[in-house]
Amino acid sequence: MPIYNAEAYLEDAINSILAQTHELWELILIDDGSTDASLAIAKRFEEADHRIRVIADGINKKLPARLNQLIEEANYDYIARMDADDLIHPDRLAIQLSFLEKNPNYDLVSTGVVSIDNFNKVYGCRHVDQIYTEFKEIAAAYPIVHAAVLAKRVGMNEINIMKIIQGLKITICGVELSQIKI
């Protein structure tokens, strides 16, 4: 099996965003103190596409701090979440955005995911068997894949996003969650 190549995964992840059928987006790439060639790769994409913005301060602040920074830096009304080694379906943004716009009572939507190995062979799948809409009782975890989330920015500013995506027991302050199949 080939060795994990973060740089190749990052290029593939960015290319999957460039292939989106919904073209009105900005990509904010936050470098969390990487020591490989990831920052150079991100800057190369930034130079090639005005929708891409790279933020780098050389410090490793960890995911929770960077997610909060992402919300502050975003210019648009929705935040889509993914990791540097994720690939997204070309229609992901269009489908999720359409769902949220047609269902204004929801603030966040997530999907299932397909896991692939270094040879792009499927080895697992977390899929949505039903739509979850009732959050009156707080559960220990929710079937939300954080790297597949699209949320209204207002909703994300009203809550601590890390508590939601890590599935901790909290009160979700007026935010409704849902999942859809892609």
Side-chain angles (χ1 to χ4, degrees):
M1 183 169 259
I3 297 173
Y4 178 82
N5 183 339
E7 295 93 346
Y9 291 130
L10 176 60
E11 288 184 5
D12 290 344
I14 296 170
N15 282 323
S16 75
I17 295 167
L18 292 170
Q20 289 299 294
T21 56
H22 179 81
E23 296 179 348
L24 298 174
W25 49 260
E26 68 175 340
L27 172 60
I28 302 172
L29 298 168
I30 299 180
D31 180 70
D32 196 33
S34 66
T35 57
D36 58 12
S38 297
L39 182 57
I41 291 167
K43 288 187 176 205
R44 187 178 79 237
F45 277 96
E46 179 183 41
E47 291 172 8
D49 194 310
H50 72 280
R51 299 172 295 179
I52 300 173
R53 185 164 37 119
V54 176
I55 298 171
D57 57 16
I59 302 168
N60 183 289
K61 294 181 179 179
K62 306 288 184 214
L63 185 62
R66 294 305 187 180
L67 288 175
N68 289 326
Q69 180 181 6
L70 173 70
I71 295 166
E72 292 172 15
E73 293 285 343
N75 290 315
Y76 294 140
D77 295 331
Y78 296 90
I79 305 281
R81 169 81 179 88
M82 68 182 280
D83 294 319
D85 61 351
D86 292 344
L87 301 176
I88 61 174
H89 188 280
D91 293 324
R92 174 191 163 188
L93 296 179
I95 292 169
Q96 288 182 314
L97 183 61
S98 175
F99 177 87
L100 288 176
E101 289 181 340
K102 290 177 183 173
N103 298 279
N105 55 320
Y106 293 106
D107 294 309
L108 183 147
V109 65
S110 182
T111 69
V113 297
V114 174
S115 299
I116 56 175
D117 65 14
N118 292 344
F119 299 102
N120 290 331
K121 291 183 72 175
V122 174
Y123 71 85
C125 183
R126 284 192 277 171
H127 49 88
V128 181
D129 293 324
Q130 63 184 8
I131 293 179
Y132 295 85
T133 58
E134 286 299 320
F135 295 93
K136 293 184 189 320
E137 294 184 26
I138 304 302
Y142 295 99
I144 294 173
V145 180
H146 70 94
V149 163
L150 179 73
K152 293 177 185 174
R153 185 172 177 204
V154 170
M156 293 180 103
N157 283 332
E158 293 173 358
I159 59 173
N160 181 330
I161 183 175
M162 285 310 298
K163 289 183 180 177
I164 294 267
I165 66 175
Q166 290 177 347
L168 301 175
K169 291 184 177 182
I170 64 160
T171 300
I172 302 170
C173 306
V175 176
E176 295 190 37
L177 312 173
S178 182
Q179 291 193 341
I180 57 174
K181 293 182 181 183
I182 291 185

